[in-house]
């Protein structure tokens, strides 16, 4: 784990973790599939607590802060029919609870009628509700950290179809959840479904750039040698941010689709049309929220290579690779693809994390800051906008300093 300097806090934050009294004893529930990131978050929080112990002795008089871990034990056992229940093995009365759930953790299985069944997003969401129901209103506050927002790609209605994400948000709100934390929401306007409930969508921009700078030591961060390309019009906002903070030109692809046909739940792409300045001889960063099948990104990489781009880096918050990674391996071997940056906010199979082209972006420290900030009832503003941290990061990189 990355070593933490107890004096390091995000620029603009006027407090340091655990110097003020929390609104309630901190409790973290890492749902099935989130054990690894839950342990990393817990380690950061305990390190910060222990670094503040001598300066804030009254902290340890607050219930819950003398425990060896902030992680609470919760289970969702299944009956043979596949039915389940939520179970807490310790008291949570008065706690400020943070439930971390990855609804895409398909590696988790349960047994139904003697057969192993991989957990679907619906199963993970049902287990989340079971744990909230098991808390039974005894906690001081319930916060849900759902990095990939359940059904977030179904964020608007274009015909007679369900609005699953909005219904999910309303259901969690009605169950007593006060804050919903997510990352890079497909369309954050879905929060309009719960205007009286806390909703925050954090972007991994700083962490992604930090991982790229650590991995690649010879980037030339100027318009002559590098540019940003948006994969479609829907991803423009995040790519505009990258181009703005890096001071680079921005291009984009327009996806021409066949809207008369639906294949696997989506309209097939007929053609990618590039709009922007020349990419020849330049390193290119393509940023998006999701790599699902990866078909679109594969087509973009091939197109950019035909346009003589020097190195192509894909940055995606959630890398699912639902069709596997064989084509990405082939693109890397051919020299078309330089790297894919993806966060650990969703399950990453070993074949992905060990791939020579994959650059993992660790979000556990950022998540720890969010939890500590909320638990101590401070503003999230400086964590939402990482501009100052990015500027310092780039300055250190250009000077050749350790990142």
């Amino acid at each position: 784990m990355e070593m933490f300097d107890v004096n390091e806090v995000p620029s603009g934050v006027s407090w340091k973790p655990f110097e003020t009294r929390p609104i309630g004893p901190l409790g973290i529930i890492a749902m099935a599939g989130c054990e690894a990131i839950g342990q990393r978050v817990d380690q950061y929080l305990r390190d910060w607590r222990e670094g503040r112990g001598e300066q804030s002795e009254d902290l340890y008089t607050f219930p819950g802060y003398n425990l060896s871990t902030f992680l609470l034990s919760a289970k969702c056992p299944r009956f043979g029919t596949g039915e389940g229940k939520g179970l807490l093995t310790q008291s949570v009365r008065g706690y400020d609870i943070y439930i971390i759930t990855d609804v895409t953790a398909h590696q988790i299985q349960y047994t139904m009628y003697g057969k192993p069944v991989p957990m679907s997003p619906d199963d993970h969401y049902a287990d989340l509700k079971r744990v909230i129901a098991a808390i039974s209103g005894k906690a001081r506050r319930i916060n849900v950290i759902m990095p990939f927002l359940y059904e977030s790609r179904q964020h608007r209605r274009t015909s007679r179809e369900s609005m699953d994400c909005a219904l999910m948000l309303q259901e969690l709100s009605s169950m007593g959840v006060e804050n919903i934390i997510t990352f890079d929401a497909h369309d954050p306007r879905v929060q309009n479904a719960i205007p009286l409930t806390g909703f925050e969508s954090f972007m991994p921009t700083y962490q992604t750039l930090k991982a790229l700078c650590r991995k690649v030591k010879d980037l030339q961060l100027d318009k002559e040698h590098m540019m940003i390309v948006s994969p479609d019009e829907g991803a423009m906002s995040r790519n505009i941010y990258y181009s703005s903070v890096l001071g680079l030109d921005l291009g984009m692809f327009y996806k021409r689709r066949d809207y008369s046909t639906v294949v696997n739940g989506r309209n097939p792409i007929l053609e990618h049309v590039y709009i922007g300045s020349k990419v020849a001889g330049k390193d290119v960063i393509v940023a998006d929220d999701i790599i699902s099948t990866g078909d679109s990104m594969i087509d973009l990489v091939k197109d950019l290579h035909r346009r003589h781009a020097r190195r192509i880096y894909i940055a995606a918050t959630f890398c699912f690779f639902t069709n596997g990674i064989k084509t990405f391996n082939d693109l890397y071997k051919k020299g078309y693809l330089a790297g894919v940056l993806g966060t650990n906010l969703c399950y990453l199979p070993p074949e992905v994390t060990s791939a020579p082209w994959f650059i993992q972006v660790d979000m556990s420290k950022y998540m720890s800051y969010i939890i500590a900030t909320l638990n101590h009832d401070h503003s999230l503003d400086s964590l939402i906008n990482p501009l100052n941290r990015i500027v310092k990061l780039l300055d250190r990189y250009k000077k050749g300093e350790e990142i």
Side-chain angles (χ1 to χ4, degrees), residues 9 22 54 71 95 113 116 121 123 135 139 156 171 174 180 213 228 247-248 304 319 340 347:
V9 293
E54 295 181 1
L71 291 171
Y95 273 69
Y113 291 96
D123 290 322
I135 292 173
R156 62 182 177 182
E171 191 170 18
S174 68
I180 298 173
C213 289
I228 307 296
L248 304 177
L304 290 170
C319 294
V340 176
Y347 171 64

Side-chain angles (χ1 to χ4, degrees), residues 241-387:
Y241 190 85
Y242 274 103
S243 68
S244 298
V245 298
L246 295 174
L248 304 177
D249 287 336
L250 174 67
M252 72 164 286
F253 279 92
Y254 166 68
K255 293 179 181 178
R256 190 166 67 85
R257 295 180 179 270
D258 180 3
Y259 288 99
S260 64
T261 306
V262 177
V263 179
N264 294 328
R266 61 177 183 170
N267 303 109
I269 299 170
L270 299 177
E271 181 186 11
H272 286 93
V273 180
Y274 178 70
I275 303 171
S277 57
K278 293 182 179 180
V279 300
K282 297 181 180 180
D283 291 336
V284 175
I285 297 176
V286 182
D288 208 351
D289 57 339
I290 299 168
I291 294 178
S292 185
T293 63
D295 291 345
S296 294
M297 285 298 183
I298 291 167
D299 290 342
L300 295 190
V301 169
K302 292 178 179 178
D303 191 296
L304 290 170
H305 180 76
R306 285 195 299 269
R307 297 174 186 274
H308 306 293
R310 179 172 176 244
R311 291 180 296 188
I312 304 168
Y313 295 96
I314 298 172
T317 306
F318 304 101
C319 294
F320 298 136
F321 299 112
T322 57
N323 285 355
I325 62 172
K326 182 180 182 304
T327 307
F328 285 86
N329 286 333
D330 293 340
L331 291 175
Y332 176 75
K333 290 176 182 177
K334 292 178 181 178
Y336 290 19
L337 176 67
V340 176
L341 295 109
T343 72
N344 60 342
L345 293 172
C346 65
Y347 171 64
L348 297 169
E351 59 266 26
V352 173
T353 55
S354 62
W357 44 264
F358 188 75
I359 305 170
Q360 184 165 305
V361 180
D362 184 13
M363 298 295 291
S364 55
K365 186 175 181 181
Y366 193 25
M367 190 180 292
S368 304
Y369 271 130
I370 294 168
I371 291 174
T373 302
L374 282 174
N375 182 235
H376 288 257
D377 206 22
H378 287 271
S379 171
L380 293 168
D381 182 70
S382 60
L383 292 175
I384 293 173
N385 184 6
L387 177 60

Side-chain angles (χ1 to χ4, degrees), residues 4 12 34 75 84 86 89 93 115 121 159 178 183 187 205-206 243:
F4 173 69
C34 296
K75 301 177 181 179
T89 60
R93 186 179 295 275
K115 298 179 180 179
S159 62
E178 292 191 29
F183 291 83
D187 189 340
T205 312
Y206 169 74
S243 68

